[in-house]
Amino acid sequence: MRKRETLLGRICLSALLVACLLGGLEGTPASGGLPAQAAVRFEDVTAAAKIHFVRNTGAFGKRYLPETMGSGCAFLDYDNDGNLDILLVNGSDFPGHKGRRTTLKLYHNNGDATFKDVTTHSGLDVEMYGMGVAVGDYDNDGWDDVYVTGLGGAHLFHNQHNGSFKDVTKEAGVNNTGFGASAAWLDYDRDGKLDLFVTNYVKWSEKSDIVCKLDGVHKSYCTPEAYPGDTCRLLPARPASSTPPASLWALP
């Protein structure tokens, strides 16, 4: 009986593979090119959408490792109007070399394929050497909240339901002082509350900066493996009855 079931299983698997192969061949043109329905083209509409953003790497000639990193962005509906808005993460000048002030940028979707910079009155007008961003409704009130990682610090912004955000990093106890590369919201213990997972890149600071020289003379950018790696952090959400109630996460 077992041999018969095994034989039937092999026959079914073989039939499935043949069907998949035939289906794939059927959708492939004789010329070997992509099927017509797969010919998708993208058009750069940044200027037409009225989005004006240039990341500040803070570079001033020292060739610091963070300058080689790009930054994150997020689509979110922060005002619950049904249109996706855009949040762009920015860098900043390094201490002792301040020449300009650059911040996160929040662009409101006007609903007509254009966006408006509403950063100033959004509460996100914060200067930081930002890296990643994660959007999630951590308090289950139906509004998108934002967590931004960066070099030497992170920020948790609570949605105030009026087009603005409040920085609640200290109250929630979720600052990350490492080289925060990115973050993600998840409910890893399935208790109905969003937990926070933060990834750290490497252990770097201006004091610990390593001098790398590709030509043996001039300083170049070091590759990340030149530095010791750093650990990630899992911040589980605390029960509502926890003390103190203002702290939403248990620190590791």
Side-chain angles (χ1 to χ4, degrees):
M1 183 67 177
R2 186 171 294 175
K3 290 183 178 180
R4 183 181 177 188
E5 290 176 351
T6 303
L7 178 60
L8 287 173
R10 289 178 178 175
I11 292 174
C12 291
L13 180 59
S14 299
L16 180 61
L17 289 172
V18 171
C20 290
L21 287 171
L22 289 176
L25 291 173
E26 197 172 292
T28 304
S31 62
L34 291 173
Q37 63 269 25
V40 177
R41 292 182 59 84
F42 290 88
E43 179 183 354
D44 187 347
V45 296
T46 311
K50 298 183 180 179
I51 295 176
H52 309 285
F53 177 84
V54 177
R55 174 172 167 77
N56 177 17
T57 65
F60 63 96
K62 287 289 187 179
R63 290 183 168 81
Y64 286 155
L65 178 67
E67 299 169 17
T68 67
M69 304 285 288
S71 57
C73 65
F75 283 94
L76 72 162
D77 185 8
Y78 78 94
D79 55 353
N80 279 352
D81 66 353
N83 297 316
L84 286 178
D85 312 295
I86 298 176
L87 175 63
L88 300 170
V89 180
N90 209 345
S92 66
D93 290 342
F94 288 97
H97 300 276
K98 294 290 184 180
R100 54 176 169 159
R101 184 177 186 273
T102 51
T103 71
L104 305 172
K105 286 293 183 181
L106 178 63
Y107 283 89
H108 176 260
N109 191 327
N110 295 322
D112 60 358
T114 65
F115 293 79
K116 179 182 179 181
D117 186 346
V118 294
T119 310
T120 303
H121 302 292
S122 69
L124 299 178
D125 187 22
V126 174
E127 188 175 21
M128 64 180 295
Y129 205 106
M131 285 289 161
V133 57
V135 177
D137 179 13
Y138 75 83
D139 56 351
N140 293 328
D141 65 354
W143 295 76
D144 286 339
D145 307 301
V146 176
Y147 185 78
V148 183
T149 64
L151 178 62
H155 291 274
L156 174 64
F157 297 99
H158 179 258
N159 196 317
Q160 299 296 98
H161 312 170
N162 59 3
S164 69
F165 292 83
K166 179 182 178 181
D167 191 335
V168 295
T169 313
K170 185 176 181 180
E171 299 95 306
V174 291
N175 189 23
N176 181 68
T177 57
F179 194 159
S182 62
W185 297 101
L186 73 160
D187 183 9
Y188 86 99
D189 54 359
R190 303 185 70 178
D191 65 351
K193 299 179 179 63
L194 285 181
D195 310 298
L196 186 59
F197 186 77
V198 183
T199 64
N200 284 308
Y201 193 42
V202 296
K203 293 181 179 179
W204 180 93
S205 68
E206 289 186 76
K207 290 183 179 179
S208 66
D209 183 64
I210 298 173
V211 176
C212 296
K213 298 179 180 180
L214 290 176
D215 60 3
V217 180
H218 304 95
K219 184 182 179 183
S220 61
Y221 288 110
C222 294
T223 52
E225 58 266 26
Y227 297 90
D230 205 352
T231 58
C232 300
R233 299 179 69 199
L234 176 62
L235 306 177
R238 292 190 177 193
S241 58
S242 290
T243 303
S247 183
L248 304 176
W249 283 272
L251 295 178

